[in-house]
Amino acid sequence: MKLLHLSDLHIGKSIGNYSLIEDQRYALKEIVRIVEERKIDVVLVAGDIFDTSIPSSEALSLYSDFLDELIFRLDKKVLAIAGNHDSSKRLDINKNFYRSNNYFLVSELEREPIVLEDEYGKINFYLIPFISLAKAKAEIDSDIENFTDLYRHILNDISYEDRNVLVSHCYASNMGIYDEEIYDDGQKPLTIGGSDAMDANLFMEFDYVALGHLHRAHFVIDPKIRYSGTFMKYSFDEALGEKSVTIIDLTKDIDIEKIPIKNFRDFEVRRGKFEDILKSEASDNYIKFILEDDYTIENAMAKLKSKFPLAVSISYANKAVFSREDTLDIDIENKDAVELFTDFYKFKMDEDMTNDEIETLKRIIVCDQKDL
């Protein structure tokens, strides 16, 4: 059986003021193409289907179109769970209808696996959605103190007969060691003020573990315990990386392959002096600018957007530009317009105007006075 492992679709997400729906539609079409070309049997979605618990109609429509392509046109099965961004109650609507059409969505904890078969026998799919620690203590066991306790409790009765696949949404690490650097600016932690990590050694008896929550594709402890990562970039921390989906060929053994995904637009970080950046090559990518100027630039974003329409943010490498203690001390009463402007220019730009610039300024002022 061939499986495609996806996670963290975050459909409906925005970056800055820009909706990523168009980019997501393009990437999902790429995934449908891969499913068709590589003859995938089952698509696994390991949580965070939507970016918010109340997705927009546009986000709902896009995901519905994606499912229609997989289930009705290509006749594939889809197994999905809720992540910490999703609303389990909203996702749970129409569950019986979904399952009758080969869409198995688990938004609340279910102990029984979904059992599928191929020529090698049964495969038990255990789908564990995101469960908060507060909910786990209230509904499962009041002695649960952390995510390792939670998963130990949930997995306790599994016999591991036949082949077994786990799909879950959590922060799995070796021995439950927490690393705050694992998060980038496109993710939010599972808990506030505590450790999100759980011990991935609990997963070692599964044949494959399809994880969601962390946005970078990687494995934990063993290659079979794997995060597929997001199918497209969602933060500038990922600007230099490459996105992919994961294909698992599960026969008597297991073969794992990462397939690169082409994205509609890329993410860039451009750093340098403002004037040098303005002279650089134009781009329709999402761009974060880091300015190395020693002073703030007036209307910098508007000027950048004239050449880089998807400019997202501006920051300054030298944070001291925001804490200048010098003040503008100009003798307004005893100076003419040209002198006032040249003093102001020097204050803002830390340099004198050239003679040519001053002569141009004088001509402008003379023309304005004639018009008056």
Side-chain angles (χ1 to χ4, degrees):
M1 187 175 292
K2 274 193 175 182
L3 315 176
L4 181 75
H5 174 191
L6 302 173
S7 75
D8 299 272
L9 304 182
H10 289 282
I11 296 175
K13 187 175 178 61
S14 297
I15 182 74
N17 295 320
Y18 309 110
S19 167
L20 296 175
I21 282 286
E22 186 180 9
D23 303 72
Q24 291 174 328
R25 180 175 290 109
Y26 180 90
L28 289 174
K29 286 181 179 178
E30 284 291 296
I31 290 171
V32 170
R33 178 186 60 79
I34 291 170
V35 168
E36 188 170 17
E37 290 180 356
R38 299 299 295 268
K39 295 181 171 54
I40 300 299
D41 300 298
V42 179
V43 176
L44 309 176
V45 185
D48 282 355
I49 295 169
F50 298 104
D51 192 53
T52 65
S53 59
I54 307 178
S56 66
S57 58
E58 196 174 18
L60 289 167
S61 177
L62 177 56
Y63 185 58
S64 178
D65 291 345
F66 177 58
L67 290 179
D68 285 350
E69 284 286 294
L70 294 176
I71 294 169
F72 296 115
R73 187 174 73 82
L74 299 182
D75 195 27
K76 307 301 181 181
K77 294 179 174 63
V78 178
L79 278 58
I81 60 170
N84 61 303
H85 280 246
D86 299 311
S87 167
S88 59
K89 290 182 179 179
R90 289 176 184 273
L91 290 182
D92 214 30
I93 295 174
N94 296 325
K95 182 170 68 175
N96 291 334
F97 172 77
Y98 290 157
R99 293 198 172 192
S100 66
N101 288 283
N102 287 327
Y103 177 39
F104 301 86
L105 174 62
V106 174
S107 56
E108 299 285 352
L109 180 62
E110 298 181 10
R111 301 283 184 169
E112 292 301 313
I114 294 164
V115 182
L116 303 178
E117 292 192 44
D118 62 10
E119 63 268 34
Y120 297 95
K122 294 180 180 179
I123 304 178
N124 303 309
F125 291 88
Y126 292 87
L127 275 60
I128 302 177
F130 170 71
I131 304 168
S132 70
L133 289 180
K135 186 172 183 176
K137 289 173 72 72
E139 298 182 6
I140 298 175
D141 191 321
S142 60
D143 291 331
I144 291 172
E145 297 294 334
N146 51 55
F147 285 104
T148 300
D149 288 347
L150 171 59
Y151 277 86
R152 186 178 289 116
H153 191 286
I154 293 172
L155 303 177
N156 184 51
D157 296 328
I158 295 178
S159 65
Y160 298 102
E161 295 177 1
D162 304 308
R163 290 165 295 165
N164 297 278
V165 173
L166 174 66
V167 183
S168 196
H169 193 88
C170 62
Y171 173 11
S173 72
N174 190 6
M175 303 301 292
I177 297 171
Y178 177 73
D179 180 2
E180 62 182 11
E181 294 183 359
I182 200 71
Y183 288 108
D184 62 38
D185 61 18
Q187 297 165 254
K188 66 180 181 182
L190 298 175
T191 61
I192 303 299
S195 173
D196 295 355
M198 59 79 57
D199 185 0
N201 287 285
L202 294 176
F203 298 153
M204 286 300 292
E205 291 190 67
F206 285 96
D207 293 277
Y208 184 75
V209 180
L211 294 174
H213 179 54
L214 300 182
H215 287 190
R216 178 175 57 85
H218 66 288
F219 70 83
V220 181
I221 303 176
D222 187 284
K224 70 179 181 180
I225 304 173
R226 181 171 294 271
Y227 287 94
S228 66
T230 54
F231 68 123
M232 56 179 282
K233 296 177 184 178
Y234 283 139
S235 79
F236 291 101
D237 290 344
E238 303 175 283
L240 298 178
E242 183 183 69
K243 285 299 173 179
S244 63
V245 294
T246 305
I247 291 178
I248 306 96
D249 195 349
L250 189 60
T251 56
K252 291 181 179 179
D253 299 312
I254 183 170
D255 182 62
I256 299 170
E257 181 182 4
K258 287 172 62 177
I259 306 295
I261 284 283
K262 280 177 56 181
N263 284 178
F264 188 55
R265 298 183 183 91
D266 207 349
F267 278 54
E268 291 184 49
V269 177
R270 294 201 182 188
R271 183 178 181 126
K273 296 283 188 179
F274 181 76
E275 291 299 328
D276 292 336
I277 288 175
L278 278 183
K279 295 173 184 175
S280 65
E281 183 179 355
S283 172
D284 288 327
N285 291 329
Y286 300 106
I287 307 178
K288 172 183 177 179
F289 295 97
I290 302 174
L291 302 184
E292 296 179 338
D293 301 85
D294 295 326
Y295 48 85
T296 58
I297 306 297
E298 296 290 334
N299 298 317
M301 182 59 85
K303 294 173 182 175
L304 287 170
K305 282 189 175 182
S306 66
K307 186 168 185 178
F308 309 102
L310 296 180
V312 173
S313 67
I314 296 174
S315 62
Y316 286 83
N318 179 10
K319 302 304 179 185
V321 299
F322 298 110
S323 58
R324 289 177 52 166
E325 297 181 357
D326 53 334
T327 57
L328 179 60
D329 184 13
I330 297 178
D331 183 4
I332 297 177
E333 295 182 359
N334 299 311
K335 290 190 176 184
D336 60 26
V338 173
E339 292 171 321
L340 288 173
F341 189 88
T342 54
D343 285 350
F344 178 73
Y345 181 92
K346 184 172 183 178
F347 171 76
K348 294 297 292 182
M349 307 300 286
D350 287 331
E351 62 182 28
D352 292 320
M353 293 180 68
T354 66
N355 290 332
D356 288 342
E357 289 170 338
I358 293 173
E359 289 304 315
T360 300
L361 176 63
K362 287 178 180 178
R363 289 196 296 273
I364 292 170
I365 291 174
V366 169
C367 289
D368 287 343
Q369 288 173 343
K370 287 181 179 179
D371 290 339
L372 294 174

